[in-house]
Amino acid sequence: KAGVTQTPRYLIKTRGQQVTLSCSPISGHRSVSWYQQTPGQGLQFLFEYFSETQRNKGNFPGRFSGRQFSNSRSEMNVSTLELGDSALYLCASSLLGGSPLHFGNGTRLTVT
Amino acid sequence: GENVEQHPSTLSVQEGDSAVIKCTYSDSASNYFPWYKQELGKRPQLIIDIRSNVGEKKDQRIAVTLNKTAKHFSLHITETQPEDSAVYFCAASPEGNKLTFGTGTQLKVEL
């Protein structure tokens, strides 16, 4: 069974731009979560989607948004990029909410 | 919200020795406690997890213990091997997949 797939693997953007990251969960998994990983702040929860509905949201500004499609694939969008948004963005899927999370390889975003 | 503290931040052991990593959490509603291993440049991988209705869980050389009263849980790795070298993260969750992670422990297993 294929794992969680994230695209693209690397992105370089300029301050003020916006970016969209994509995540395909493990087949059959209905919950998709997004996390930001930085050396300074560690792993921080962004949001969780289940059956196309946002079920939980972390403490990030409104510039960070996401959505989930009927096939469980998910996208997250960051608008008006700031230097501090440079991070590894990890997507994770699980069969149901509260079941073990399986992470993808992440998208490395660099904002210059 | 939930707050998870993890100690130590770095841990160096000799091959074959045991390693113990400890975490404390603040939210008594947390009921799910996974541990992840992340090798350099790779994704976090779930190595073991425990729910609040269980006090201990083992999987070969890895075990996790949970003390709900004291709000702490620990990862124990026995007979460490060089391939155990990685960063280990504990996490806690009171709801769904909203995990709060610890700050990580860099484990180095020396030959």
Side-chain angles (χ1 to χ4, degrees):
Chain A
K1 189 182 271 191
V4 178
T5 304
Q6 291 188 246
T7 56
R9 289 297 309 277
Y10 302 94
L11 265 177
I12 300 176
K13 290 287 186 179
T14 304
R15 273 182 304 174
Q17 289 185 315
Q18 73 165 18
V19 66
T20 299
L21 313 182
S22 181
C23 172
S24 293
I26 292 172
S27 178
H29 284 195
R30 296 171 60 190
S31 172
V32 174
S33 304
W34 289 88
Y35 287 81
Q36 182 196 64
Q37 186 173 28
T38 60
Q41 299 298 317
L43 279 153
Q44 292 187 291
F45 172 79
L46 281 155
F47 26 66
E48 178 197 3
Y49 288 87
F50 184 85
S51 294
E52 302 178 66
T53 301
Q54 186 181 86
R55 188 155 65 174
N56 270 310
K57 191 176 189 307
N59 297 322
F60 279 81
R63 299 185 297 107
F64 292 81
S65 63
R67 59 177 175 170
Q68 185 180 32
F69 302 96
S70 58
N71 61 358
S72 293
R73 192 177 69 84
S74 177
E75 290 181 346
M76 69 164 280
N77 185 275
V78 187
S79 63
T80 319
L81 284 166
E82 301 178 358
L83 294 178
D85 297 333
S86 295
L88 179 66
Y89 290 88
L90 291 160
C91 170
S93 75
S94 66
L95 193 60
L96 299 168
S99 54
L101 279 182
H102 300 272
F103 283 89
N105 288 319
T107 293
R108 172 77 60 186
L109 172 65
T110 302
V111 182
T112 62
Chain B
E2 175 65 278
N3 182 53
V4 176
E5 294 189 359
Q6 183 173 346
H7 299 281
S9 56
T10 60
L11 179 59
S12 185
V13 299
Q14 294 292 315
E15 183 180 9
D17 286 350
S18 294
V20 180
I21 302 170
K22 298 182 179 182
C23 290
T24 60
Y25 62 99
S26 62
D27 189 347
S28 57
S30 285
N31 54 24
Y32 177 61
F33 308 91
W35 286 87
Y36 285 85
K37 174 184 179 182
Q38 187 174 29
E39 296 176 70
L40 189 63
K42 296 191 176 182
R43 61 188 174 91
Q45 287 192 289
L46 179 69
I47 56 171
I48 196 167
D49 57 7
I50 192 168
R51 297 193 182 272
S52 59
N53 59 346
V54 176
E56 183 177 3
K57 184 176 179 180
K58 286 184 180 180
D59 182 4
Q60 299 183 338
R61 299 186 296 109
I62 294 173
V64 57
T65 58
L66 171 65
N67 183 325
K68 285 190 297 182
T69 303
K71 295 200 191 75
H72 66 70
F73 55 114
S74 301
L75 178 71
H76 304 252
I77 306 174
T78 59
E79 301 172 16
T80 54
Q81 302 167 2
E83 52 265 39
D84 294 330
S85 296
V87 179
Y88 291 81
F89 292 96
C90 63
S93 174
E95 55 178 322
N97 290 330
K98 185 178 180 180
L99 295 178
T100 299
F101 282 87
T103 50
T105 296
Q106 176 75 62
L107 174 64
K108 183 177 180 182
V109 180
E110 299 176 331
L111 297 172

